Amino acid sequence: CINLIYQCLELKTLFNTMLPQIQGFCKTLSFKKQILRSSISTFQRTISSSNTCKDLREFIDWSSREGINESYGRAWTREELRLKSWDDVHKLWYLSIKERNLLLTEMSWKKIPKTADEQRACGYNIGNSEVENDPHRLRYTEVLQTLDNIKRVLRERAMAEASKPRRAELLSIINAK
């Protein structure tokens, strides 16, 4: 019985001496897990939203009015959108609509036509650098491409739906004007 007590005390002492090493190993694993998560997230584009003003100031590009030309990203590709959840695609749709409306406001104030047909109707020549190199018009084309890609991906998801009534419901939502 005394030998058993000594063995328990030795195990407890051994455990107490090993505890800092075990804790360090656990922290290392946690750190490696964080590194892995961050490296995975760099391969996926994230969705960010702007601060909400909840009034019409959201539809004015204040930075361009102050003479600051901010860089902008590219359109979301279908491959990237296929990796996103339904909720993420839904959020991205509304952010893109908001951005589109902001750009339409700015283009309207600067009298920049949206399309080549409008450009001809306004009397601008095709290739007019003032119109075609306008940062708002360039961003506008990227946003329209993103919106088109979102609709295509959602149509793909709807067509993959097994239930015909559910498929019809999804397609009616996607194609709504």
Side-chain angles (χ1 to χ4, degrees), residues 49-99:
S49 63
S50 60
N51 294 332
T52 55
C53 298
K54 304 224 188 280
D55 63 12
L56 292 176
R57 289 179 290 174
E58 290 184 87
F59 299 102
I60 298 171
D61 190 4
W62 294 104
S63 61
S64 74
R65 290 175 183 262
E66 295 169 359
I68 302 168
N69 283 333
E70 294 180 351
S71 62
Y72 59 92
R74 58 178 172 76
W76 283 74
T77 64
R78 281 182 248 155
E79 291 76 25
E80 292 170 328
L81 291 169
R82 286 183 188 116
L83 300 174
K84 296 292 179 190
S85 69
W86 179 269
D87 289 337
D88 285 346
V89 173
H90 185 78
K91 289 174 192 174
L92 184 59
W93 174 263
Y94 280 101
L95 286 172
S96 298
I97 293 292
K98 184 177 166 183
E99 180 75 7

Short mmCIF file of all heavy atoms in Angstrom, two decimals, residues 49-99:
data_model
loop_
_atom_site.label_atom_id
_atom_site.label_comp_id
_atom_site.label_asym_id
_atom_site.label_seq_id
_atom_site.Cartn_x
_atom_site.Cartn_y
_atom_site.Cartn_z
N SER A 49 -18.57 45.30 -45.31
CA SER A 49 -19.64 46.26 -45.54
C SER A 49 -19.22 47.61 -45.01
O SER A 49 -18.37 47.71 -44.14
CB SER A 49 -20.93 45.81 -44.87
OG SER A 49 -20.74 45.75 -43.48
N SER A 50 -19.83 48.64 -45.54
CA SER A 50 -19.52 49.98 -45.09
C SER A 50 -20.31 50.30 -43.83
O SER A 50 -21.26 49.62 -43.49
CB SER A 50 -19.86 50.99 -46.19
OG SER A 50 -21.23 50.90 -46.49
N ASN A 51 -19.88 51.35 -43.15
CA ASN A 51 -20.65 51.81 -42.01
C ASN A 51 -21.98 52.34 -42.52
O ASN A 51 -22.04 53.03 -43.52
CB ASN A 51 -19.91 52.92 -41.26
CG ASN A 51 -18.64 52.41 -40.64
OD1 ASN A 51 -18.54 51.24 -40.30
ND2 ASN A 51 -17.66 53.28 -40.49
N THR A 52 -23.02 52.04 -41.82
CA THR A 52 -24.33 52.48 -42.28
C THR A 52 -24.64 53.87 -41.77
O THR A 52 -24.52 54.14 -40.58
CB THR A 52 -25.43 51.51 -41.83
OG1 THR A 52 -25.35 51.38 -40.41
CG2 THR A 52 -25.26 50.15 -42.47
N CYS A 53 -25.01 54.75 -42.68
CA CYS A 53 -25.43 56.10 -42.32
C CYS A 53 -26.94 56.15 -42.19
O CYS A 53 -27.47 56.98 -41.50
CB CYS A 53 -24.99 57.11 -43.39
SG CYS A 53 -23.22 57.23 -43.60
N LYS A 54 -27.61 55.28 -42.93
CA LYS A 54 -29.06 55.20 -42.95
C LYS A 54 -29.71 56.49 -43.48
O LYS A 54 -30.78 56.88 -43.04
CB LYS A 54 -29.61 54.86 -41.56
CG LYS A 54 -29.03 53.58 -40.99
CD LYS A 54 -30.08 52.74 -40.37
CE LYS A 54 -29.52 51.57 -39.64
NZ LYS A 54 -29.14 50.47 -40.34
N ASP A 55 -29.05 57.16 -44.39
CA ASP A 55 -29.67 58.28 -45.08
C ASP A 55 -29.04 58.40 -46.47
O ASP A 55 -28.27 57.56 -46.89
CB ASP A 55 -29.56 59.58 -44.27
CG ASP A 55 -28.13 60.03 -44.03
OD1 ASP A 55 -27.21 59.48 -44.67
OD2 ASP A 55 -27.94 60.94 -43.22
N LEU A 56 -29.37 59.45 -47.18
CA LEU A 56 -28.93 59.58 -48.57
C LEU A 56 -27.44 59.81 -48.73
O LEU A 56 -26.92 59.71 -49.84
CB LEU A 56 -29.73 60.69 -49.25
CG LEU A 56 -31.20 60.38 -49.45
CD1 LEU A 56 -31.92 61.58 -50.03
CD2 LEU A 56 -31.39 59.17 -50.34
N ARG A 57 -26.73 60.12 -47.65
CA ARG A 57 -25.28 60.31 -47.75
C ARG A 57 -24.57 59.03 -48.16
O ARG A 57 -23.44 59.08 -48.65
CB ARG A 57 -24.71 60.82 -46.43
CG ARG A 57 -25.11 62.25 -46.12
CD ARG A 57 -24.56 62.68 -44.81
NE ARG A 57 -25.29 61.96 -43.78
CZ ARG A 57 -25.00 62.01 -42.48
NH1 ARG A 57 -23.99 62.73 -42.07
NH2 ARG A 57 -25.71 61.34 -41.61
N GLU A 58 -25.22 57.90 -48.01
CA GLU A 58 -24.62 56.63 -48.41
C GLU A 58 -24.45 56.54 -49.92
O GLU A 58 -23.67 55.74 -50.40
CB GLU A 58 -25.49 55.46 -47.95
CG GLU A 58 -25.50 55.23 -46.48
CD GLU A 58 -26.29 54.01 -46.12
OE1 GLU A 58 -25.72 52.90 -46.14
OE2 GLU A 58 -27.49 54.16 -45.86
N PHE A 59 -25.19 57.33 -50.67
CA PHE A 59 -25.17 57.23 -52.12
C PHE A 59 -24.34 58.33 -52.77
O PHE A 59 -24.53 58.65 -53.94
CB PHE A 59 -26.60 57.24 -52.65
CG PHE A 59 -27.39 56.08 -52.12
CD1 PHE A 59 -28.30 56.25 -51.10
CD2 PHE A 59 -27.18 54.80 -52.60
CE1 PHE A 59 -29.00 55.18 -50.58
CE2 PHE A 59 -27.87 53.73 -52.10
CZ PHE A 59 -28.78 53.91 -51.08
N ILE A 60 -23.43 58.91 -52.01
CA ILE A 60 -22.54 59.95 -52.53
C ILE A 60 -21.11 59.50 -52.25
O ILE A 60 -20.78 59.11 -51.14
CB ILE A 60 -22.83 61.32 -51.88
CG1 ILE A 60 -24.26 61.74 -52.21
CG2 ILE A 60 -21.82 62.36 -52.35
CD1 ILE A 60 -24.74 62.95 -51.46
N ASP A 61 -20.28 59.57 -53.26
CA ASP A 61 -18.88 59.18 -53.13
C ASP A 61 -18.09 60.40 -52.65
O ASP A 61 -17.55 61.16 -53.44
CB ASP A 61 -18.36 58.67 -54.48
CG ASP A 61 -16.99 58.03 -54.36
OD1 ASP A 61 -16.48 57.91 -53.23
OD2 ASP A 61 -16.44 57.65 -55.41
N TRP A 62 -18.04 60.55 -51.33
CA TRP A 62 -17.42 61.75 -50.75
C TRP A 62 -15.93 61.82 -51.03
O TRP A 62 -15.37 62.90 -51.22
CB TRP A 62 -17.69 61.81 -49.25
CG TRP A 62 -19.14 61.99 -48.94
CD1 TRP A 62 -20.00 61.03 -48.51
CD2 TRP A 62 -19.92 63.18 -49.12
NE1 TRP A 62 -21.27 61.56 -48.38
CE2 TRP A 62 -21.24 62.87 -48.74
CE3 TRP A 62 -19.63 64.47 -49.54
CZ2 TRP A 62 -22.27 63.80 -48.78
CZ3 TRP A 62 -20.65 65.40 -49.57
CH2 TRP A 62 -21.95 65.07 -49.20
N SER A 63 -15.25 60.69 -51.08
CA SER A 63 -13.81 60.72 -51.30
C SER A 63 -13.47 61.27 -52.69
O SER A 63 -12.52 62.02 -52.84
CB SER A 63 -13.21 59.32 -51.12
OG SER A 63 -13.78 58.43 -52.04
N SER A 64 -14.26 60.92 -53.71
CA SER A 64 -13.96 61.44 -55.05
C SER A 64 -14.29 62.93 -55.14
O SER A 64 -13.66 63.66 -55.89
CB SER A 64 -14.72 60.66 -56.12
OG SER A 64 -16.08 61.01 -56.11
N ARG A 65 -15.27 63.37 -54.37
CA ARG A 65 -15.60 64.80 -54.37
C ARG A 65 -14.51 65.63 -53.72
O ARG A 65 -14.36 66.81 -53.98
CB ARG A 65 -16.94 65.04 -53.67
CG ARG A 65 -18.07 64.49 -54.50
CD ARG A 65 -19.37 64.61 -53.78
NE ARG A 65 -20.40 64.02 -54.60
CZ ARG A 65 -21.19 64.72 -55.39
NH1 ARG A 65 -21.12 66.01 -55.43
NH2 ARG A 65 -22.08 64.11 -56.14
N GLU A 66 -13.75 64.99 -52.82
CA GLU A 66 -12.63 65.66 -52.18
C GLU A 66 -11.35 65.52 -53.00
O GLU A 66 -10.28 65.94 -52.57
CB GLU A 66 -12.43 65.10 -50.77
CG GLU A 66 -13.60 65.40 -49.85
CD GLU A 66 -13.54 64.61 -48.56
OE1 GLU A 66 -12.60 63.81 -48.37
OE2 GLU A 66 -14.44 64.80 -47.73
N GLY A 67 -11.45 64.90 -54.15
CA GLY A 67 -10.30 64.76 -55.04
C GLY A 67 -9.45 63.54 -54.78
O GLY A 67 -8.37 63.40 -55.32
N ILE A 68 -9.92 62.65 -53.93
CA ILE A 68 -9.18 61.43 -53.61
C ILE A 68 -9.69 60.31 -54.51
O ILE A 68 -10.86 59.95 -54.46
CB ILE A 68 -9.38 61.03 -52.13
CG1 ILE A 68 -8.95 62.16 -51.21
CG2 ILE A 68 -8.63 59.75 -51.82
CD1 ILE A 68 -9.37 61.96 -49.76
N ASN A 69 -8.82 59.80 -55.36
CA ASN A 69 -9.20 58.67 -56.22
C ASN A 69 -8.74 57.39 -55.55
O ASN A 69 -7.56 57.05 -55.58
CB ASN A 69 -8.57 58.80 -57.61
CG ASN A 69 -9.30 59.82 -58.45
OD1 ASN A 69 -10.48 60.06 -58.26
ND2 ASN A 69 -8.58 60.43 -59.38
N GLU A 70 -9.67 56.69 -54.93
CA GLU A 70 -9.36 55.44 -54.26
C GLU A 70 -9.31 54.32 -55.28
O GLU A 70 -10.05 54.32 -56.25
CB GLU A 70 -10.41 55.13 -53.20
CG GLU A 70 -10.41 56.12 -52.05
CD GLU A 70 -11.46 55.78 -51.01
OE1 GLU A 70 -12.29 54.89 -51.26
OE2 GLU A 70 -11.43 56.42 -49.96
N SER A 71 -8.44 53.36 -55.01
CA SER A 71 -8.39 52.21 -55.89
C SER A 71 -9.60 51.32 -55.58
O SER A 71 -10.16 51.37 -54.49
CB SER A 71 -7.10 51.43 -55.70
OG SER A 71 -7.03 50.94 -54.38
N TYR A 72 -9.99 50.53 -56.52
CA TYR A 72 -11.13 49.64 -56.35
C TYR A 72 -10.73 48.27 -56.83
O TYR A 72 -9.75 48.09 -57.56
CB TYR A 72 -12.37 50.15 -57.10
CG TYR A 72 -12.17 50.31 -58.58
CD1 TYR A 72 -12.48 49.28 -59.45
CD2 TYR A 72 -11.65 51.48 -59.11
CE1 TYR A 72 -12.27 49.41 -60.81
CE2 TYR A 72 -11.44 51.63 -60.46
CZ TYR A 72 -11.76 50.58 -61.30
OH TYR A 72 -11.55 50.72 -62.64
N GLY A 73 -11.48 47.29 -56.40
CA GLY A 73 -11.17 45.91 -56.74
C GLY A 73 -11.78 45.49 -58.06
O GLY A 73 -12.34 46.29 -58.81
N ARG A 74 -11.68 44.23 -58.30
CA ARG A 74 -12.21 43.66 -59.52
C ARG A 74 -13.57 43.03 -59.22
O ARG A 74 -13.99 42.96 -58.07
CB ARG A 74 -11.25 42.59 -60.04
CG ARG A 74 -11.00 41.50 -59.03
CD ARG A 74 -10.07 40.41 -59.57
NE ARG A 74 -9.70 39.49 -58.53
CZ ARG A 74 -10.48 38.56 -58.03
NH1 ARG A 74 -11.70 38.41 -58.48
NH2 ARG A 74 -10.06 37.75 -57.08
N ALA A 75 -14.21 42.58 -60.25
CA ALA A 75 -15.50 41.90 -60.09
C ALA A 75 -15.27 40.53 -59.45
O ALA A 75 -14.22 39.91 -59.64
CB ALA A 75 -16.18 41.74 -61.44
N TRP A 76 -16.24 40.08 -58.69
CA TRP A 76 -16.19 38.73 -58.12
C TRP A 76 -16.39 37.72 -59.25
O TRP A 76 -17.27 37.88 -60.09
CB TRP A 76 -17.30 38.55 -57.10
CG TRP A 76 -17.02 39.22 -55.79
CD1 TRP A 76 -17.07 40.55 -55.52
CD2 TRP A 76 -16.65 38.58 -54.57
NE1 TRP A 76 -16.77 40.77 -54.21
CE2 TRP A 76 -16.50 39.58 -53.60
CE3 TRP A 76 -16.44 37.26 -54.21
CZ2 TRP A 76 -16.15 39.29 -52.30
CZ3 TRP A 76 -16.09 36.98 -52.89
CH2 TRP A 76 -15.94 37.99 -51.96
N THR A 77 -15.57 36.69 -59.27
CA THR A 77 -15.70 35.66 -60.30
C THR A 77 -16.73 34.62 -59.86
O THR A 77 -17.04 34.50 -58.67
CB THR A 77 -14.36 34.95 -60.56
OG1 THR A 77 -13.98 34.26 -59.36
CG2 THR A 77 -13.28 35.94 -60.97
N ARG A 78 -17.24 33.88 -60.83
CA ARG A 78 -18.21 32.83 -60.50
C ARG A 78 -17.59 31.75 -59.63
O ARG A 78 -18.25 31.20 -58.76
CB ARG A 78 -18.77 32.21 -61.78
CG ARG A 78 -19.84 33.09 -62.39
CD ARG A 78 -20.42 32.49 -63.62
NE ARG A 78 -19.99 33.35 -64.71
CZ ARG A 78 -19.87 32.98 -65.96
NH1 ARG A 78 -20.15 31.76 -66.32
NH2 ARG A 78 -19.49 33.83 -66.87
N GLU A 79 -16.32 31.45 -59.85
CA GLU A 79 -15.64 30.42 -59.05
C GLU A 79 -15.61 30.84 -57.58
O GLU A 79 -15.83 30.03 -56.68
CB GLU A 79 -14.22 30.18 -59.56
CG GLU A 79 -14.16 29.50 -60.91
CD GLU A 79 -14.48 30.43 -62.08
OE1 GLU A 79 -14.30 31.66 -61.95
OE2 GLU A 79 -14.96 29.93 -63.11
N GLU A 80 -15.32 32.11 -57.31
CA GLU A 80 -15.30 32.61 -55.94
C GLU A 80 -16.69 32.59 -55.33
O GLU A 80 -16.86 32.22 -54.16
CB GLU A 80 -14.76 34.05 -55.89
CG GLU A 80 -13.30 34.16 -56.24
CD GLU A 80 -12.84 35.59 -56.43
OE1 GLU A 80 -13.64 36.43 -56.89
OE2 GLU A 80 -11.68 35.86 -56.12
N LEU A 81 -17.68 32.96 -56.11
CA LEU A 81 -19.05 33.02 -55.60
C LEU A 81 -19.60 31.63 -55.31
O LEU A 81 -20.42 31.46 -54.41
CB LEU A 81 -19.95 33.75 -56.61
CG LEU A 81 -19.65 35.24 -56.75
CD1 LEU A 81 -20.39 35.81 -57.96
CD2 LEU A 81 -20.01 35.99 -55.49
N ARG A 82 -19.16 30.64 -56.07
CA ARG A 82 -19.62 29.27 -55.82
C ARG A 82 -19.18 28.77 -54.46
O ARG A 82 -19.81 27.88 -53.88
CB ARG A 82 -19.10 28.34 -56.91
CG ARG A 82 -19.81 28.50 -58.23
CD ARG A 82 -19.32 27.52 -59.28
NE ARG A 82 -19.89 27.84 -60.56
CZ ARG A 82 -19.18 28.22 -61.63
NH1 ARG A 82 -17.86 28.29 -61.56
NH2 ARG A 82 -19.78 28.51 -62.76
N LEU A 83 -18.09 29.31 -53.94
CA LEU A 83 -17.58 28.90 -52.63
C LEU A 83 -18.30 29.57 -51.47
O LEU A 83 -18.16 29.16 -50.32
CB LEU A 83 -16.08 29.22 -52.53
CG LEU A 83 -15.18 28.54 -53.55
CD1 LEU A 83 -13.76 29.06 -53.42
CD2 LEU A 83 -15.21 27.03 -53.36
N LYS A 84 -19.07 30.59 -51.74
CA LYS A 84 -19.75 31.36 -50.70
C LYS A 84 -21.08 30.73 -50.33
O LYS A 84 -21.73 30.08 -51.15
CB LYS A 84 -20.00 32.81 -51.17
CG LYS A 84 -18.73 33.60 -51.41
CD LYS A 84 -18.02 33.86 -50.13
CE LYS A 84 -16.74 34.61 -50.32
NZ LYS A 84 -15.94 34.66 -49.11
N SER A 85 -21.47 30.96 -49.09
CA SER A 85 -22.77 30.47 -48.62
C SER A 85 -23.89 31.32 -49.22
O SER A 85 -23.65 32.40 -49.76
CB SER A 85 -22.84 30.54 -47.09
OG SER A 85 -22.88 31.89 -46.67
N TRP A 86 -25.11 30.84 -49.07
CA TRP A 86 -26.28 31.57 -49.56
C TRP A 86 -26.33 32.94 -48.90
O TRP A 86 -26.59 33.95 -49.55
CB TRP A 86 -27.54 30.76 -49.26
CG TRP A 86 -28.79 31.43 -49.70
CD1 TRP A 86 -29.57 32.26 -48.96
CD2 TRP A 86 -29.40 31.37 -50.99
NE1 TRP A 86 -30.63 32.71 -49.71
CE2 TRP A 86 -30.55 32.17 -50.96
CE3 TRP A 86 -29.09 30.70 -52.16
CZ2 TRP A 86 -31.39 32.32 -52.05
CZ3 TRP A 86 -29.93 30.85 -53.24
CH2 TRP A 86 -31.06 31.65 -53.18
N ASP A 87 -26.08 33.00 -47.59
CA ASP A 87 -26.13 34.27 -46.85
C ASP A 87 -25.05 35.25 -47.33
O ASP A 87 -25.30 36.44 -47.48
CB ASP A 87 -25.98 34.04 -45.35
CG ASP A 87 -27.20 33.39 -44.74
OD1 ASP A 87 -28.29 33.50 -45.34
OD2 ASP A 87 -27.07 32.77 -43.67
N ASP A 88 -23.84 34.73 -47.57
CA ASP A 88 -22.77 35.60 -48.05
C ASP A 88 -23.08 36.17 -49.43
O ASP A 88 -22.83 37.34 -49.70
CB ASP A 88 -21.43 34.85 -48.09
CG ASP A 88 -20.84 34.66 -46.71
OD1 ASP A 88 -21.31 35.32 -45.75
OD2 ASP A 88 -19.90 33.84 -46.58
N VAL A 89 -23.63 35.34 -50.30
CA VAL A 89 -23.98 35.80 -51.64
C VAL A 89 -25.10 36.84 -51.54
O VAL A 89 -25.10 37.85 -52.25
CB VAL A 89 -24.38 34.62 -52.55
CG1 VAL A 89 -24.92 35.10 -53.88
CG2 VAL A 89 -23.18 33.70 -52.76
N HIS A 90 -26.04 36.62 -50.63
CA HIS A 90 -27.14 37.55 -50.41
C HIS A 90 -26.59 38.91 -49.94
O HIS A 90 -26.99 39.97 -50.45
CB HIS A 90 -28.08 36.95 -49.37
CG HIS A 90 -29.32 37.74 -49.12
ND1 HIS A 90 -30.39 37.71 -49.97
CD2 HIS A 90 -29.65 38.59 -48.12
CE1 HIS A 90 -31.33 38.50 -49.50
NE2 HIS A 90 -30.91 39.05 -48.38
N LYS A 91 -25.66 38.88 -48.98
CA LYS A 91 -25.05 40.13 -48.50
C LYS A 91 -24.29 40.84 -49.62
O LYS A 91 -24.38 42.05 -49.77
CB LYS A 91 -24.08 39.84 -47.35
CG LYS A 91 -24.74 39.43 -46.07
CD LYS A 91 -23.70 39.03 -45.05
CE LYS A 91 -24.32 38.34 -43.86
NZ LYS A 91 -23.31 37.83 -42.93
N LEU A 92 -23.55 40.06 -50.39
CA LEU A 92 -22.78 40.63 -51.49
C LEU A 92 -23.69 41.26 -52.53
O LEU A 92 -23.37 42.30 -53.10
CB LEU A 92 -21.88 39.57 -52.13
CG LEU A 92 -20.95 40.06 -53.22
CD1 LEU A 92 -20.01 41.13 -52.68
CD2 LEU A 92 -20.16 38.90 -53.78
N TRP A 93 -24.85 40.65 -52.79
CA TRP A 93 -25.81 41.20 -53.73
C TRP A 93 -26.24 42.59 -53.28
O TRP A 93 -26.23 43.54 -54.06
CB TRP A 93 -27.01 40.27 -53.86
CG TRP A 93 -28.10 40.84 -54.71
CD1 TRP A 93 -29.22 41.49 -54.28
CD2 TRP A 93 -28.16 40.85 -56.14
NE1 TRP A 93 -29.98 41.89 -55.36
CE2 TRP A 93 -29.35 41.50 -56.51
CE3 TRP A 93 -27.33 40.35 -57.14
CZ2 TRP A 93 -29.72 41.68 -57.83
CZ3 TRP A 93 -27.71 40.52 -58.45
CH2 TRP A 93 -28.88 41.18 -58.79
N TYR A 94 -26.62 42.72 -52.01
CA TYR A 94 -27.09 44.01 -51.53
C TYR A 94 -25.97 45.05 -51.45
O TYR A 94 -26.20 46.23 -51.73
CB TYR A 94 -27.81 43.86 -50.18
CG TYR A 94 -29.22 43.39 -50.39
CD1 TYR A 94 -29.56 42.07 -50.22
CD2 TYR A 94 -30.19 44.26 -50.86
CE1 TYR A 94 -30.85 41.63 -50.46
CE2 TYR A 94 -31.48 43.84 -51.11
CZ TYR A 94 -31.81 42.52 -50.90
OH TYR A 94 -33.07 42.09 -51.16
N LEU A 95 -24.76 44.63 -51.12
CA LEU A 95 -23.63 45.57 -51.16
C LEU A 95 -23.36 46.05 -52.58
O LEU A 95 -23.07 47.23 -52.80
CB LEU A 95 -22.37 44.92 -50.58
CG LEU A 95 -22.34 44.74 -49.07
CD1 LEU A 95 -21.13 43.91 -48.67
CD2 LEU A 95 -22.32 46.08 -48.38
N SER A 96 -23.48 45.14 -53.52
CA SER A 96 -23.26 45.51 -54.92
C SER A 96 -24.36 46.44 -55.43
O SER A 96 -24.07 47.38 -56.19
CB SER A 96 -23.18 44.26 -55.80
OG SER A 96 -22.10 43.46 -55.40
N ILE A 97 -25.59 46.19 -55.04
CA ILE A 97 -26.69 47.08 -55.43
C ILE A 97 -26.45 48.47 -54.85
O ILE A 97 -26.65 49.49 -55.53
CB ILE A 97 -28.05 46.51 -54.95
CG1 ILE A 97 -28.40 45.23 -55.70
CG2 ILE A 97 -29.16 47.54 -55.06
CD1 ILE A 97 -28.71 45.43 -57.17
N LYS A 98 -26.03 48.52 -53.60
CA LYS A 98 -25.76 49.81 -52.95
C LYS A 98 -24.63 50.54 -53.68
O LYS A 98 -24.73 51.73 -53.95
CB LYS A 98 -25.39 49.55 -51.49
CG LYS A 98 -25.17 50.78 -50.67
CD LYS A 98 -24.89 50.37 -49.23
CE LYS A 98 -24.35 51.49 -48.44
NZ LYS A 98 -24.01 51.08 -47.07
N GLU A 99 -23.57 49.81 -54.02
CA GLU A 99 -22.46 50.41 -54.75
C GLU A 99 -22.90 50.87 -56.13
O GLU A 99 -22.52 51.94 -56.60
CB GLU A 99 -21.32 49.40 -54.86
CG GLU A 99 -20.10 49.90 -55.60
CD GLU A 99 -19.25 50.87 -54.81
OE1 GLU A 99 -19.52 51.07 -53.62
OE2 GLU A 99 -18.32 51.44 -55.40
#
